[in-house]
């Protein structure tokens, strides 16, 4: 009924945000496995009808959907894991098709970011999550329509990168009672994303949470200052701000 209004401004509008938030609410509130099956079907239809809402313009909707689907990939119900994995594969394939079969850059970035956030917020990476990653790879291997393009390889590369992050997290788990070692590992992981400031920011936020939890407020503040520097550097490169000098400190911002 409201398809024309939802498609205004390439699906970047207030009505689209409200409809999307309603869909997300069904994933954020505990549901039965049967109810979730219908929610996933509704989301497949929604993404299929309005791909530009996720793969064009701001990445907020794409990031939020990736976060909620990944949470379901860690669900205790095997049927829900399978449904969530199928939806995630469908989502990545739609991204590939929307980009004229060139790449899945946006979903790749947002999924890695969501994994990083979930590690800090809820803890994922056990056998249930690994099972979901295996299901996604199986979909990629068995998709005959995508056999002659690089989509299956991109999916495998993404799942491999997710597993790398999870392995680093397992190391962190071993040192969870050693705050200094834990933060040092997180700092190394943050530095490994120097070329991707958005992911680096995610891990710096995770470090700040650990510092704040341990009462190390000055260290937490330094993490947030570093995040501010990353944002400022991005705005500088876009020509939106200039490097500035105050009476007290010279602000020299670098990403490296």
């Amino acid at each position: 009924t409201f398809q024309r209004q939802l498609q205004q401004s390439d699906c970047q509008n207030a009505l689209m945000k409200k409809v999307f938030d309603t869909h997300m609410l069904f994933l954020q509130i505990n549901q039965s496995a049967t109810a979730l099956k219908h929610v996933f079907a509704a989301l497949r239809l929604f993404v299929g009808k309005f791909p530009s809402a996720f793969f064009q313009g701001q990445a907020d909707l794409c990031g939020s959907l990736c976060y909620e689907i990944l949470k379901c990939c860690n669900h205790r119900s095997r049927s829900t894991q399978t449904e969530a994995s199928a939806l995630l594969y469908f989502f990545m394939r739609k991204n590939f098709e929307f980009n004229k079969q060139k790449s899945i850059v946006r979903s790749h970035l947002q999924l890695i970011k969501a994994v990083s956030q979930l590690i800090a917020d809820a803890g994922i990476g056990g056998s249930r999550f690994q099972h979901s990653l295996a299901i996604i790879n199986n979909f990629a291997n068995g998709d005959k329509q995508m056999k002659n393009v690089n989509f299956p390889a991109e999916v495998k590369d993404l799942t491999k990168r997710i597993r790398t992050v999870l392995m680093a997290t397992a190391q962190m788990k071993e040192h969870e009672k050693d705050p200094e070692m834990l933060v040092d590992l997180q700092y190394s992981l943050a530095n490994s994303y120097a070329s991707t400031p958005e992911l680096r920011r995610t891990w710096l936020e995770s470090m700040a949470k650990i510092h704040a939890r341990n009462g190390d407020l000055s260290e937490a503040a330094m993490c947030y200052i570093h995040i501010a520097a990353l944002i400022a550097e991005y705005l500088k490169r876009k020509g939106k701000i200039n490097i500035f000098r105050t009476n007290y400190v010279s602000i020299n911002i670098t990403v490296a």
Side-chain angles (χ1 to χ4, degrees), residues 185-201:
L185 287 167
Q186 289 228 357
Y187 180 69
S188 298
L189 194 55
N191 281 345
S192 72
Y193 289 115
S195 61
T196 314
E198 190 171 358
L199 293 177
R200 194 175 188 187
R201 173 189 170 180

Side-chain angles (χ1 to χ4, degrees), residues 197-255:
E198 190 171 358
L199 293 177
R200 194 175 188 187
R201 173 189 170 180
T202 300
W203 281 104
L204 287 167
E205 285 175 341
S206 179
M207 285 170 61
K209 288 178 184 178
I210 293 172
H211 281 311
R213 210 161 44 227
N214 294 328
D216 301 325
L217 301 184
S218 8
E219 285 84 354
M222 287 301 295
C223 290
Y224 287 121
I225 289 170
H226 201 118
I227 291 167
L230 287 172
I231 294 169
E233 174 68 10
Y234 173 81
L235 293 173
K236 174 178 173 283
R237 290 179 177 181
K238 288 286 185 179
K240 297 184 183 293
I241 65 168
N242 294 316
I243 297 298
F244 58 91
R245 181 183 294 273
T246 71
N247 293 330
Y248 305 101
V249 63
S250 171
I251 309 296
N252 186 18
I253 302 164
T254 58
V255 173

Side-chain angles (χ1 to χ4, degrees), residues 9-10 12 17 24 28 35 38 45 72 83 87 89 115 134 188 196-197 205 210 217 225 228 234-235 240 243 245 253:
S9 304
D10 292 322
Q12 310 294 315
K17 181 70 165 63
M24 290 300 94
Q28 291 159 356
H38 294 291
L45 181 63
C72 293
E83 291 283 346
L87 175 58
Y89 181 78
V115 168
S188 298
T196 314
E205 285 175 341
I210 293 172
L217 301 184
I225 289 170
Y234 173 81
L235 293 173
K240 297 184 183 293
I243 297 298
R245 181 183 294 273
I253 302 164

Side-chain angles (χ1 to χ4, degrees), residues 132-202:
S132 294
L133 292 178
I135 292 172
I136 292 168
N137 273 331
N138 287 339
F139 279 130
N141 291 331
D143 194 338
K144 294 180 180 178
Q145 292 181 335
M146 292 288 166
K147 189 175 181 180
N148 297 319
V149 293
N150 66 335
F151 177 66
E154 291 211 26
V155 172
K156 289 174 187 176
D157 178 61
L158 174 58
T159 55
K160 182 181 177 180
R161 287 178 182 271
I162 290 174
R163 286 194 172 98
T164 300
V165 173
L166 294 175
M167 284 173 63
T169 308
Q171 282 186 302
M172 293 176 198
K173 192 74 176 172
E174 292 176 15
H175 299 283
E176 62 183 351
K177 293 182 180 178
D178 184 349
E180 287 80 11
M181 186 64 182
L182 177 60
V183 170
D184 190 54
L185 287 167
Q186 289 228 357
Y187 180 69
S188 298
L189 194 55
N191 281 345
S192 72
Y193 289 115
S195 61
T196 314
E198 190 171 358
L199 293 177
R200 194 175 188 187
R201 173 189 170 180
T202 300

Side-chain angles (χ1 to χ4, degrees), residues 91-108:
F91 186 73
M92 290 187 287
R93 182 171 169 171
K94 277 294 174 186
N95 187 184
F96 188 73
E97 291 170 353
F98 188 83
N99 287 345
K100 298 178 181 178
Q101 298 194 343
K102 291 180 181 177
S103 72
I104 55 168
V105 171
R106 172 162 289 192
S107 54
H108 184 125

